Each structure stands twice: as structure tokens, then as C-alpha cells.
Amino acid sequence: MEHQPLRHLRDIADVEPGPVLLEGRRARLERWAEILEREPARLFTTLEEIEFVPRRMRAAIRADNSPIAYAYADPVLRASGLSGDTFGDARSFFELGTGEAHHLLCSCVNGRSVTGFATARRLRRLATRRPGLWLAYGCAAGLAGLPSLFYLFG
């Protein structure tokens, strides 16, 4: 077997790089937002009242033409590990909490349908959220209010 530089191989064969694999919650959420922004006015079906479905059955919830189904159709997200178009698949792959996924995908928050633009905007907010920062703010507020408590109950 003879070693050839890539530029020579391109002359004799179709050489294409494989899909880029996304690592981390932020990259995955941003990719989802990016593909939804390609069709900002498109209406997607929301998941029907997630909170009323028994917990043991929630992971299997799905809908045709949902934002999750659209994400599942993306080859980059599938190559990165998105294994299906269900609520449970989206929660685990995108590392979404129950409340985050509910707010993003449920009909009680969004109505029966939601635009690609609105969902992408929410996804970008989730991608930039820093939970550790909110914890720091909460601790600082608690410490700032401590003297008031001593004064009131002191």
C-alpha cells in the first residue's frame, strides 16, 4: 500500500470529510437553534400537555413535525448521538431539565404550534444560561439580606 497525500487522492477518488460531531450541551443546543432558524416562519407541532402524561410514559411522547423531529432529521445531530425524536431522546441528548424541556416543547406554554424562530430564540437562551452564576447571585443576595434578618429578629 502506497502512502499518498490527500490532494492526490482527491484527483482519483471522492474524498469527503465526515460530519462534525458536536460535544457539549451548548454546541448541541446552538446547532438545534441554527437549523430551526433556517425556516423561521415554519410552524412546528408542540407536544400535547406533557405534564398530564404519567412520568413513566413521558419519555416516549413524540409528534410528527415537532422541533424534536426536525432536529432528528439533521445529519449532524444524529451523528453526534441524537437517537430518536421523542421527548426522552431530546431531554437526554440536549441535557435538558424537565422544566426546560416542558417550557420549550409543551402545548400549554406554546399553543398547538410554535414557529422555528420562537423555538430557536428559547434554545439560544438555554445555551447561554450559566447555572453556577445564578447560584452565586443567590448566595450574594442571601448574604446581603442577612443583616436585615438580624435587625428584625435580633
Side-chain angles (χ1 to χ4, degrees):
M1 184 165 126
E2 183 181 340
H3 183 71
Q4 297 267 335
L6 186 58
R7 65 179 181 274
H8 293 298
L9 290 176
R10 286 190 179 137
D11 294 336
I12 58 174
D14 291 329
V15 179
E16 292 188 28
V20 176
L21 298 181
L22 303 171
E23 296 205 16
R25 170 186 157 107
R26 184 175 185 156
R28 292 170 181 174
L29 290 172
E30 286 181 354
R31 173 65 182 189
W32 193 6
E34 178 185 312
I35 64 170
L36 288 169
E37 287 171 340
R38 292 178 190 163
E39 298 184 62
R42 180 176 171 174
L43 290 176
F44 291 96
T45 306
T46 56
L47 302 180
E48 193 69 33
E49 298 184 352
I50 296 166
E51 66 274 16
F52 295 117
V53 176
R55 287 184 195 270
R56 66 185 184 288
M57 297 172 66
R58 282 186 195 160
I61 298 172
R62 65 166 305 280
D64 292 335
N65 191 43
S66 71
I68 305 169
Y70 196 66
Y72 185 61
D74 181 58
V76 174
L77 290 173
R78 286 176 76 164
S80 296
L82 182 57
S83 58
D85 67 350
T86 66
F87 184 70
D89 294 327
R91 280 202 56 217
S92 62
F93 178 74
F94 294 106
E95 300 175 33
L96 296 171
T98 304
E100 291 172 327
H102 176 263
H103 189 258
L104 186 67
L105 302 164
C106 189
S107 63
C108 72
V109 176
N110 301 294
R112 293 202 178 270
S113 62
V114 64
T115 64
F117 176 78
T119 306
R121 189 177 66 221
R122 287 186 176 139
L123 285 166
R124 293 219 184 267
R125 268 191 253 137
L126 285 173
T128 58
R129 186 175 291 165
R130 296 184 183 155
L133 191 58
W134 286 106
L135 179 61
Y137 287 148
C139 290
L143 288 174
L146 198 56
S148 308
L149 291 174
F150 283 130
Y151 178 75
L152 288 173
F153 301 109

